[in-house]
Amino acid sequence: MIAAAGENEALGKDNDLVWHLPDDFKRFKQLTTGHHIIMGRKTFETFPKLLPNRVHIVITRDRNYTAEGVIIVHTIEEALAKVENDENPFIIGGGKIYTLGMQYADCIELTRVHGDFEADAFFPIINENDWEIVEKEYHEKDDRHAYAFTYLTYERKKQ
Ligand SMILES: NC(=O)c1ccc[n+]([C@@H]2O[C@H](COP(=O)([O-])OP(=O)(O)OC[C@H]3O[C@@H](n4cnc5c(N)ncnc54)[C@H](OP(=O)(O)O)[C@@H]3O)[C@@H](O)[C@H]2O)c1
């Protein structure tokens, strides 16, 4: 999974992000390009257009939902079945879909944005018994980034 969340797990509000962090966007692009990206219908509808060089898989309960250029599925399991040939597919949100995906994920690329934000979508709690941080990189606040943030790579612990 790949996400950016505030310290209070905030992901977004009114179907939009609550920050603009260009270096985080750049990292999202670098990591996901060439791969399948699995998302909820609401997150999909926040995009002005398809993200280039990525196969979009959109999860909805609506059996009549259609959108050009994307694969529509109705469960997270159906989405995961479509990505079996991709060694590094990504679940890209939002809150509902991260919650469904948590049990299946083996890696979480989390950008922890240092602040508390008003939100209506939240990242699920990462259980420290199940996950360990294997990489950590701090990014200072600067004239292009209103908040400091830390890239955290979590891997599922071997049981
Ligand atoms: N900070 C980040 O990294 C990040 C990343 C992505 C998104 N976001 C933000 O997160 C917010 C959107 O998140 P969200 O939680 O509201 O919506 P979401 O997870 O993007 O999509 C929710 C939709 O997914 C479908 N869905 C959910 N559970 C399902 C299930 N069990 N089976 C089948 N379909 C299911 C439903 O679509 P239908 O209603 O069509 O049935 C539901 O309305 C926005 O503010 C967005 O900007 C932030």
Side-chain angles (χ1 to χ4, degrees):
M1 306 211 281
I2 185 163
E7 281 166 2
N8 62 338
E9 311 303 341
L11 290 171
K13 188 167 187 289
D14 299 330
N15 251 353
D16 206 353
L17 300 177
V18 289
W19 46 67
H20 177 66
L21 301 172
D23 284 0
D24 183 53
F25 267 133
K26 208 190 287 173
R27 183 167 187 268
F28 175 86
K29 184 178 173 191
Q30 272 167 2
L31 289 172
T32 58
T33 291
H35 295 289
H36 291 73
I37 49 174
I38 298 171
M39 72 206 84
R41 191 267 307 164
K42 288 192 180 170
T43 292
F44 173 63
E45 290 186 354
T46 68
F47 297 163
K49 57 182 172 54
L50 295 183
L51 304 181
N53 304 316
R54 278 152 279 192
V55 181
H56 296 50
I57 301 181
V58 177
I59 307 180
T60 173
R61 292 190 178 89
D62 181 352
R63 297 274 158 185
N64 298 317
Y65 190 79
T66 57
E68 210 169 310
V70 311
I71 299 171
I72 310 283
V73 297
H74 304 289
T75 63
I76 184 84
E77 290 77 14
E78 203 186 329
L80 295 172
K82 303 269 184 212
V83 302
E84 275 171 359
N85 294 329
D86 184 340
E87 84 292 347
N88 209 3
F90 287 88
I91 294 171
I92 66 157
K96 295 287 188 302
I97 300 308
Y98 291 132
T99 301
L100 293 175
M102 187 58 108
Q103 64 174 308
Y104 297 111
D106 49 21
C107 178
I108 304 171
E109 296 287 1
L110 183 75
T111 301
R112 181 64 79 191
V113 185
H114 297 303
D116 285 335
F117 300 86
E118 215 186 295
D120 56 19
F122 295 89
F123 197 78
I125 297 298
I126 299 175
N127 184 338
E128 284 175 18
N129 294 326
D130 297 337
W131 296 90
E132 62 186 336
I133 294 172
V134 297
E135 274 180 55
K136 197 171 184 169
E137 189 189 330
Y138 180 72
H139 188 301
E140 193 55 87
K141 173 178 160 176
D142 60 26
D143 52 359
R144 293 185 312 129
H145 301 83
Y147 307 97
F149 51 97
T150 303
Y151 300 125
L152 296 171
T153 303
Y154 286 85
E155 282 183 3
R156 191 179 286 284
K157 285 182 184 171
K158 310 256 180 304
Q159 296 298 338

